[in-house]
Amino acid sequence: MAVATEMGVDFEEVRYMKDFPDEKTLRAVINKLEDPVERLVRKDSQFKKLGLNEDDYVANADAVVEVLEEYHRLLERPVVVGPKKAIVGRPLDGKKAKERLAEIFSS
């Protein structure tokens, strides 16, 4: 959010635990997503405790939607959605999160 504020970008913050995106919204985000779809799923201690397998979500939008609908807390964040593309606001391929966010806000 600080990057958006610095760049003067208007944005809407969605508190996903209070207002979790429905299946249609998740699929719309996935359709814009520049990152691999499996990055939407947090691979944290809860993921491991549930006995989930990371490989089940690689390039599998249906599995990602299914697990996120059941376990909202596994949604990686922040997810930044612009008019044409979306990203997970985390470092990727040597780019820092701030650089990635700046790219989406400037497009």
Side-chain angles (χ1 to χ4, degrees):
M1 292 189 300
V3 175
T5 302
E6 284 175 26
M7 295 182 73
V9 174
D10 289 329
F11 63 92
E12 176 185 357
E13 180 181 2
V14 176
R15 297 287 180 168
Y16 77 100
M17 288 306 292
K18 184 176 180 182
D19 189 20
F20 195 80
D22 60 14
E23 178 183 356
K24 182 179 177 181
T25 303
L26 285 171
R27 291 191 184 278
V29 169
I30 288 169
N31 287 335
K32 291 181 174 184
L33 195 65
E34 291 198 337
D35 297 345
V37 68
E38 61 271 15
R39 292 199 71 215
L40 286 174
V41 180
R42 292 175 65 124
K43 308 331 184 275
D44 61 6
S45 60
Q46 182 181 8
F47 183 90
K48 289 174 179 50
K49 187 184 285 187
L50 292 167
L52 301 173
N53 182 344
E54 291 185 38
D55 295 336
D56 293 342
Y57 304 96
V58 175
N60 188 340
D62 292 334
V64 168
V65 169
E66 186 177 313
V67 76
L68 292 178
E69 285 188 304
E70 188 167 350
Y71 304 107
H72 296 172
R73 291 186 186 274
L74 291 182
L75 177 64
E76 185 63 90
R77 55 213 181 271
V79 176
V80 180
V81 182
K84 296 179 183 175
K85 58 185 175 178
I87 63 167
V88 175
R90 300 279 182 201
L92 179 69
D93 296 335
K95 286 188 178 178
K96 295 180 181 179
K98 188 172 182 176
E99 293 173 285
R100 300 189 72 224
L101 293 170
E103 288 175 4
I104 199 168
F105 291 140
S106 64
S107 63

